[in-house]
Amino acid sequence: FCIRSRVMDSLVSSILKNSAPRTVVEFGPGLDTRFHRLGHLAKRWTEIDFPEVIELRERFFQTDASRRMISGSMLDQTWMDELRGSTDEPPLFIAEGVFYFFSRTQIRDFLGRLKTEFPGSSIVFDAVSAFYLKLSNLQHPLTTSRLEFALSPGATDIPGWDPEMSIRNYIGFGDSPWYDDVMHRFAWWKRYAARLLRPARHAFMVVQTEFLN
């Protein structure tokens, strides 16, 4: 999880440094501290999570003119209406460890709504392959919660859903330079798989999907 955050931080940082100042919207942050690491690169930062989570976040983190927290689900229309009326530039959306708990249909429809409501925006998220999803569910600690969402290698499902959704960045497991300084922290067999078993590259992926204007 720490390395996942590190890889996603690197990609988000690169996007923000190479674009005009833009609003960032982070879905399901829990107690994540990404704003403290990357908030200085954004114009504004909005965090959306369930009411009980936002209540907990407010015990540890303060909001100000550049940062706010919204109670609700990422599937709600309310925050979309509010954000659309408060920003002119296409936002950058982030969802780390979130999509797994939704079905493919829900994610497909959600991405379609983002494309319609915020043309020109993009989203960074993580996903796993169908095989690794099954393996993850065998190891999942919560018996009342199953992981559902997976993608094909290269995240080719997404442009297949809608040609106006393009894959701007795709980072597979072990890809250079994103993993170069952290691979030594993995078990030897995972390092071996990343080097010699090319399908293992798609077991875990970080994807930036861009919504065309």
Side-chain angles (χ1 to χ4, degrees), residues 131-143 145-147:
F131 173 78
Y132 200 75
L133 181 73
K134 294 179 181 179
L135 180 62
S136 297
N137 271 322
L138 291 175
Q139 301 175 325
H140 194 48
L142 300 178
T143 57
S145 176
R146 296 289 86 186
L147 308 179

Side-chain angles (χ1 to χ4, degrees), residues 163-174:
E164 294 186 340
M165 299 179 189
S166 64
I167 306 304
R168 182 65 180 271
N169 280 291
Y170 179 89
I171 303 172
F173 173 63

Side-chain angles (χ1 to χ4, degrees), residues 8-169:
M8 293 188 71
D9 274 4
S10 297
L11 178 56
V12 170
S13 176
S14 175
I15 295 168
L16 293 176
K17 288 178 179 178
N18 290 284
S19 65
R22 61 198 300 186
T23 295
V24 172
V25 179
E26 189 171 10
F27 301 118
L31 289 178
D32 180 84
T33 57
R34 180 166 282 117
F35 169 80
H36 298 273
R37 302 190 297 271
L38 304 180
H40 63 287
L41 299 174
K43 184 176 180 180
R44 299 185 191 86
W45 198 286
T46 298
E47 297 156 333
I48 300 173
D49 213 323
F50 294 122
E52 60 271 25
V53 180
I54 294 299
E55 182 180 355
L56 179 61
R57 284 187 67 82
E58 289 175 339
R59 292 171 53 187
F60 298 96
F61 309 125
Q62 300 296 317
T63 59
D64 55 37
S66 63
R67 180 196 199 181
R68 62 177 173 167
M69 305 178 195
I70 296 178
S71 298
S73 168
M74 71 178 192
L75 303 181
D76 292 345
Q77 183 65 35
T78 303
W79 72 262
M80 292 189 183
D81 295 338
E82 182 180 348
L83 180 64
R84 194 175 58 252
S86 64
T87 183
D88 295 326
E89 75 280 351
L92 173 64
F93 299 102
I94 305 171
E96 179 184 355
V98 175
F99 283 4
Y100 302 109
F101 300 96
F102 296 88
S103 69
R104 285 172 58 86
T105 299
Q106 285 177 305
I107 297 302
R108 182 196 63 199
D109 293 347
F110 175 64
L111 295 182
R113 289 173 63 197
L114 290 184
K115 185 202 72 172
T116 300
E117 298 284 353
F118 307 99
S121 64
S122 63
I123 181 168
V124 172
F125 64 92
D126 56 311
V128 293
S129 66
F131 173 78
Y132 200 75
L133 181 73
K134 294 179 181 179
L135 180 62
S136 297
N137 271 322
L138 291 175
Q139 301 175 325
H140 194 48
L142 300 178
T143 57
T144 57
S145 176
R146 296 289 86 186
L147 308 179
E148 299 186 50
F149 182 68
L151 286 176
S152 298
T156 55
D157 317 63
I158 293 176
W161 293 339
D162 189 328
E164 294 186 340
M165 299 179 189
S166 64
I167 306 304
R168 182 65 180 271
N169 280 291

